[in-house]
Amino acid sequence: MTAISAHEDDIFRPALHYTAKNTWLNDPNGLVYHEGIYHLYYQNNPFGNVWGNVSWGHATSVDLVNWDEQPVAIACDAEEDIFSGSIVIDQYNTSGLGNGQTAPLVAMYTSAYKDSSARRGTQAQSLAWSSDGGYTWTKHHSNPVLDRNSADFRDPKVFRYDGPPGSYWVMVAVEANDHKVVIYSSDNLRDWHYLSSFGPANATGGVWECPDLFPLPLDGDEERTKWILTVNLNPGGPNGGSGGQYFVGHFDGVAFTSETTVTDGSSETAELDAYHWLDWGRDYYAAVSFNNAPDGRRLMVGWMNNWQYGAAIPTWPWRSSMSLVREMSLVTDQGQPRLSQQVADEYRNCGSMSVNTWSGLAIDEGMRHLHPGAPVEIIDVTFLPGSAEEFGLIIRGNGTDGTRIGIRPSENRIITDRTSSGNTEFHESFASIDTAPLRPARDGSYSLKIFVDHCSVEVFAQDGQVTMTGLIFPGPDSTCLSLYAKGGTATAPSLKVARLG
Ligand code: FRU
């Protein structure tokens, strides 16, 4: 590791994103809201800052923004690692695990069996429960409760289904190498019955992992509710490495049918642009949604890293963080149902912000520096194209270099360029220019909302219809914000920058 070292003063620790204090984390697990508290569990190595000793770490929050790290919730042992999974509130004690006073929380997780286990090399679904609101957990004596004698059966997401065929628990999990989501049902969370499978379909350039299945009203109309199946894949993401795709369709309590399938997944040559991605950047993976979030909100969190280089990112003593929490909605775009994502409103209260606004900014060819800036900023900007072939912003800059977020109107694309973003040398595949399709609004404008933290940038374009999340490792003094245009001019009719104090 050269250039900027994080070791001395922990310069990359995020202000707005959750990270463990001094250990490794990956996938968010068991996201659940219970009695006023959001619980975030996660894949965690309690003893190091690279992947291993896989256990469920735990953090709690009352506002989604400020998180308190809690003791490890479910620990690995000599026979099993505790891979990803989910948590439900067993309100009516269907599992019989309740203590007669409070509803138990029930976790379904993947037991990844180690060499010392008689089941070595296989993955199966296991259950643990908590009677104290999610702080301490007991593994069930009859684990695993669902076994297919498979090496790649993992990542159960369980939810309560209520529909014409009845009311029961549904689990979606993956057969990762087969690019299949497998669906099971249960009345008691212990006995599971196979219902159906979905896939391969659309992107199959890597293993399928961490699925989720949930309903959303189309354009806010409950009468036109559709189901969204999300599935992460690694590698094979839209700009390389880890990524997440989604399908929109129907779930009848037994099977999911997709309306947005482009290919049957048998060929990897179809255009990645044609698929539907949860995020087009390279650092949004293993995204899943909260169970039981209040007010019917569908809140999602992803792991803000990529398996390509995740173990090498230059942070210390912690490594990896979660994305900001996103609220999902389903909207009609050009006649098609598409996800739209907004950062949860709660981040409005994330600390004392000083706000600067500009209007009618002319962007001539070259760079226009706006102010000294700050390492943590929330930027709202609208652009109108002029004669420039590319225009946009440079964030976390040093006057010449920085991270470029640009629009190429003639290509209908947005790019994020982190080739000169700071420390990129720690891994050969890190420096990259990532792109996504992006169309202008009816009036020809492009609007971006951008969340910049000490080592990340999350872009929400055109009201959250395209999102791009990426890690960056700039020097602490690289806080310059600039507008730029290449090969001509553009304008920024409005720009608002809120800087965290
Ligand atoms: C996804 C994943 C999951 C697995 C976990 C192991 O990032 O590979 O499929 O459960 O990580 O840590």
Side-chain angles (χ1 to χ4, degrees):
M1 216 177 296
T2 55
I4 303 137
S5 160
H7 284 49
E8 292 80 34
D9 48 8
D10 199 1
I11 54 172
F12 296 127
R13 191 182 288 275
L16 303 178
H17 296 78
Y18 179 72
T19 185
K21 188 158 180 274
N22 52 17
T23 56
W24 162 270
L25 63 74
N26 55 290
D27 315 358
N29 296 151
L31 303 178
V32 68
Y33 178 78
H34 180 55
E35 294 180 348
I37 295 175
Y38 292 94
H39 292 266
L40 163 65
Y41 301 82
Y42 48 86
Q43 295 285 279
N44 180 224
N45 178 355
F47 308 111
N49 66 1
V50 290
W51 187 86
N53 306 306
V54 186
S55 303
W56 278 25
H58 183 201
T60 52
S61 173
V62 294
D63 60 8
L64 295 172
V65 178
N66 300 289
W67 293 92
D68 293 320
E69 186 167 333
Q70 304 289 345
V72 167
I74 309 177
C76 65
D77 60 29
E79 301 212 346
E80 63 173 10
D81 276 323
I82 313 297
F83 275 19
S84 287
S86 55
I87 289 174
V88 292
I89 302 166
D90 187 10
Q91 198 65 48
Y92 302 108
N93 197 22
T94 62
S95 62
L97 295 167
N99 59 10
Q101 280 150 13
T102 53
L105 298 192
V106 177
M108 297 288 314
Y109 64 87
T110 299
S111 293
Y113 291 105
K114 298 180 179 174
D115 283 349
S116 56
S117 162
R119 297 175 187 267
R120 81 184 67 89
T122 65
Q123 300 182 343
Q125 311 324 319
S126 291
L127 181 160
W129 80 96
S130 169
S131 305
D132 66 356
Y135 295 91
T136 58
W137 293 83
T138 310
K139 293 178 182 173
H140 200 263
H141 59 84
S142 57
N143 282 340
V145 296
L146 178 55
D147 187 4
R148 291 163 58 103
N149 197 24
S150 160
D152 292 288
F153 174 36
R154 58 180 178 267
D155 305 342
K157 174 72 196 271
V158 178
F159 63 92
R160 188 76 188 169
Y161 175 79
D162 240 320
S167 183
Y168 43 87
W169 301 107
V170 169
M171 175 199 295
V172 288
V174 289
E175 275 294 348
N177 278 326
D178 300 341
H179 315 295
K180 273 192 195 320
V181 172
V182 288
I183 308 181
Y184 285 80
S185 72
S186 175
D187 288 326
N188 59 14
L189 294 164
R190 285 177 284 122
D191 303 302
W192 291 92
H193 311 284
Y194 176 79
L195 292 177
S196 63
S197 77
F198 175 82
N202 289 3
T204 54
V207 290
W208 278 21
E209 300 186 317
C210 301
D212 200 349
L213 179 62
F214 51 82
L216 279 178
L218 181 61
D219 299 320
D221 180 355
E222 301 285 346
E223 304 284 301
R224 291 189 299 151
T225 290
K226 291 183 183 283
W227 285 77
I228 319 299
L229 177 71
T230 63
V231 64
N232 293 270
L233 87 160
N234 178 56
N239 280 291
S242 315
Q245 63 176 329
Y246 69 90
F247 300 85
V248 184
H250 180 60
F251 179 60
D252 62 5
V254 176
F256 174 79
T257 40
S258 161
E259 325 173 351
T260 58
T261 301
V262 180
T263 70
D264 65 7
S266 56
S267 144
E268 283 171 30
T269 54
E271 276 288 312
L272 292 177
D273 268 12
Y275 306 145
H276 309 300
W277 298 101
L278 285 172
D279 194 282
W280 291 78
R282 290 177 69 202
D283 298 296
Y284 187 77
Y285 192 59
V288 281
S289 68
F290 273 87
N291 276 333
N292 199 41
D295 307 322
R297 295 168 85 192
R298 185 57 57 176
L299 301 170
M300 268 187 125
V301 179
W303 174 49
M304 199 159 59
N305 207 342
N306 190 313
W307 283 116
Q308 273 183 341
Y309 44 74
I313 61 170
T315 63
W316 185 90
W318 54 281
R319 198 179 260 119
S320 295
S321 64
M322 294 302 169
S323 73
L324 297 177
V325 180
R326 301 177 176 191
E327 181 157 359
M328 317 297 285
S329 57
L330 190 66
V331 299
T332 305
D333 175 40
Q334 296 202 307
Q336 301 295 322
R338 293 280 179 268
L339 284 180
S340 163
Q341 305 178 56
Q342 313 292 336
V343 162
D345 238 13
E346 283 82 345
Y347 291 94
R348 269 184 307 138
N349 308 321
C350 61
S352 67
M353 297 289 230
S354 63
V355 180
N356 284 57
T357 54
W358 292 261
S359 56
L361 285 169
I363 317 170
D364 294 330
E365 186 158 4
M367 279 165 85
R368 174 171 179 167
H369 304 311
L370 288 173
H371 60 76
V376 184
E377 298 179 317
I378 302 175
I379 302 167
D380 271 290
V381 62
T382 306
F383 291 109
L384 274 175
S387 55
E389 71 212 29
E390 182 186 314
F391 54 83
L393 289 160
I394 296 170
I395 55 129
R396 296 302 306 270
N398 59 10
T400 44
D401 290 332
T403 300
R404 205 155 51 99
I405 301 162
I407 310 285
R408 294 179 178 163
S410 66
E411 296 174 21
N412 277 329
R413 293 194 90 77
I414 179 170
I415 62 133
T416 54
D417 176 354
R418 62 180 180 188
T419 53
S420 304
S421 55
N423 184 351
T424 60
E425 295 102 72
F426 58 87
H427 195 279
E428 62 191 16
S429 65
F430 180 78
S432 61
I433 301 177
D434 304 326
T435 87
L438 187 71
R439 281 176 295 100
R442 279 215 186 89
D443 64 359
S445 67
Y446 295 87
S447 56
L448 310 180
K449 185 152 187 146
I450 304 168
F451 293 79
V452 183
D453 204 341
H454 290 284
C455 69
S456 62
V457 52
E458 283 148 290
V459 181
F460 292 72
Q462 304 296 62
D463 211 21
Q465 292 205 32
V466 170
T467 68
M468 293 186 90
T469 298
L471 293 173
I472 49 171
F473 300 99
D477 300 331
S478 294
T479 56
C480 187
L481 176 67
S482 316
L483 296 167
Y484 77 95
K486 284 186 184 174
T489 61
T491 51
S494 69
L495 171 65
K496 177 173 153 201
V497 182
R499 284 170 285 157
L500 195 70

